[in-house]
Amino acid sequence: MKHATFDATVRHYDALIPANERDAFATRLQATRVAIAVGDQLRDARALSGMTIREVAALARVGTSTASRLERGDPDVSIDRLRRVALALGLRLSIDLRSPDEHRGSRRVP
């Protein structure tokens, strides 16, 4: 598993989180998992393109640090910047919004 260390760390710290903070932690954890999966896709696309992070950032009109943060899975980068980097890599950003009930039973992002 690619992110086994991340998951092991989460399990370790989950036991240390006070019960009244677990929902916020779970929400932040899910956002981080999604951001990491997106970052992996961006990095793979960039590697296939043969571009450097600087070239992608210049094409996307974002800072090199922003493009790097996206690849590292930083969940605090704006959707607009994500969209611009995706377009620079020839990718289309698609967001699927569902209610919590619709997510039950569906495959979750690892």
Side-chain angles (χ1 to χ4, degrees), residues 96-109:
D96 182 17
L97 300 175
R98 299 179 193 187
S99 72
D101 291 337
E102 291 175 298
H103 278 289
R104 288 192 184 108
S106 67
R107 184 176 177 272
R108 298 242 169 159
V109 174

Side-chain angles (χ1 to χ4, degrees), residues 40-108:
D40 288 346
Q41 289 180 317
L42 294 174
R43 188 179 315 99
D44 292 347
R46 184 174 61 78
L48 285 173
S49 76
M51 286 192 279
T52 66
I53 196 109
R54 285 187 174 144
E55 291 168 329
V56 170
L59 266 173
R61 293 181 287 121
V62 300
T64 304
S65 64
T66 297
S68 179
R69 286 174 51 213
L70 281 165
E71 282 193 7
R72 287 193 321 267
D74 183 341
D76 294 323
V77 179
S78 75
I79 291 174
D80 181 58
R81 288 188 174 117
L82 170 58
R83 180 190 59 80
R84 287 192 267 161
V85 168
L87 287 173
L89 291 166
L91 302 173
R92 181 179 61 95
L93 178 63
S94 175
I95 299 173
D96 182 17
L97 300 175
R98 299 179 193 187
S99 72
D101 291 337
E102 291 175 298
H103 278 289
R104 288 192 184 108
S106 67
R107 184 176 177 272
R108 298 242 169 159

Side-chain angles (χ1 to χ4, degrees), residues 1-21:
M1 178 180 234
K2 193 170 190 178
H3 300 290
T5 304
F6 176 78
D7 289 338
T9 302
V10 167
R11 281 191 299 276
H12 171 76
Y13 283 103
D14 187 48
L16 303 175
I17 296 170
N20 63 334
E21 295 177 19

